[in-house]
Amino acid sequence: MTVRYHIGDDLLLSYAAGTLDEASSLLVATHLALCPACRARAAAADDLGGALFDALPEAELSPGLHDAVLAQLRGEPAAAPAPARPLRPRSGIVIPEPLRGYLGGDLDTLRWTVLAPRVQQIAIDLPNCRPRARLLRFQPGTGVPAHGHAGRELTLVLSGSLCDRDTVLARGDVAETDEYTEHQPHAGPDGDCICLAVTDAPLRFKGVFARLLQPWFGI
């Protein structure tokens, strides 16, 4: 397997710095499990961050800072845990960690719900996270209605292929779209297309029928 489409530098640096939201971090970590090149980039970003931190001058803390920080922490809910660092998947495993841990198993154990004809989904519960993450399964040749975006969308292909204009994404490939993108991607002919999608805003469907059904789709 050769990954051809990778995560961007801004996402990778935000992930390495720990400032990326949980849904996007989950997608990045799952991509890293499948992409040796991006694992090397992530390691380099970690090293750079550590070197910059070590170069910072030491600063004296005020005497009451320790007690003030503890007092604030006691009054705040625990933050959602960041996705675990990626592990390379074992042979025969379709869904690598950390995504498999969020879903509770691999493909043979998952319970799908119908999203549309020939399309199924599993919504991933991420409390206190505004972007939404879902696992999607499209039967071969099935397309998404023509749409634009009100924000960023990240898509990671885990099985099969996803075709978008002249681009064909396969296992491990990532597509990133924004509010300037309008497209109508569809699953390739080589089996079901299974992908992880993360959106931070609802899609903007072009057709009236799709817009009417959007509240039911939840996308």
Side-chain angles (χ1 to χ4, degrees):
M1 180 190 75
T2 300
V3 177
R4 296 189 299 162
Y5 300 97
H6 306 272
I7 52 177
D9 290 337
D10 59 333
L11 281 173
L12 190 61
L13 291 173
S14 297
Y15 173 79
T19 59
L20 200 58
D21 64 84
E22 187 179 3
S24 301
S25 294
L26 175 60
L27 185 143
V28 171
T30 304
H31 170 74
L32 294 181
L34 299 172
C35 181
C38 287
R39 283 200 300 273
R41 291 169 59 210
D46 285 338
D47 291 343
L48 176 60
L52 292 174
F53 183 80
D54 291 340
L56 291 175
E58 294 186 4
E60 288 192 20
L61 301 180
S62 61
L65 180 60
H66 179 267
D67 292 338
V69 170
L70 288 180
Q72 289 185 5
L73 290 177
R74 292 190 191 104
E76 295 180 359
R85 288 293 176 175
L87 298 174
R88 280 170 283 184
R90 301 189 305 273
S91 176
I93 297 294
V94 175
I95 300 177
E97 293 289 1
L99 177 58
R100 191 167 70 251
Y102 275 73
L103 295 170
D106 202 34
L107 283 183
D108 55 350
T109 65
L110 299 183
R111 300 182 64 179
W112 299 84
T113 59
V114 175
L115 178 62
R118 298 167 56 87
V119 182
Q120 296 172 301
Q121 73 162 347
I122 298 174
I124 301 173
D125 185 26
L126 300 174
N128 303 316
C129 181
R130 186 174 68 87
R132 304 184 67 177
R134 68 187 72 226
L135 194 69
L136 296 168
R137 179 164 68 183
F138 299 87
Q139 293 184 26
T142 304
V144 181
H147 64 276
H149 299 270
R152 182 173 66 187
E153 179 186 58
L154 299 171
T155 305
L156 168 64
V157 176
L158 298 167
S159 182
S161 60
L162 185 66
C163 306
D164 191 356
R165 299 188 180 92
D166 296 329
T167 300
V168 178
L169 294 93
R171 178 170 170 82
D173 288 332
V174 174
E176 180 176 356
T177 56
D178 57 24
E179 60 270 23
Y180 302 106
T181 304
E182 294 184 358
H183 61 164
Q184 189 174 4
H186 64 274
D190 48 341
D192 288 354
C193 174
I194 298 173
C195 55
L196 173 64
V198 173
T199 53
D200 61 13
L203 305 184
R204 291 175 171 169
F205 288 107
K206 300 300 179 184
V208 175
F209 185 66
R211 290 201 301 271
L212 290 174
L213 293 179
Q214 187 169 15
W216 184 70
F217 291 155
I219 57 176

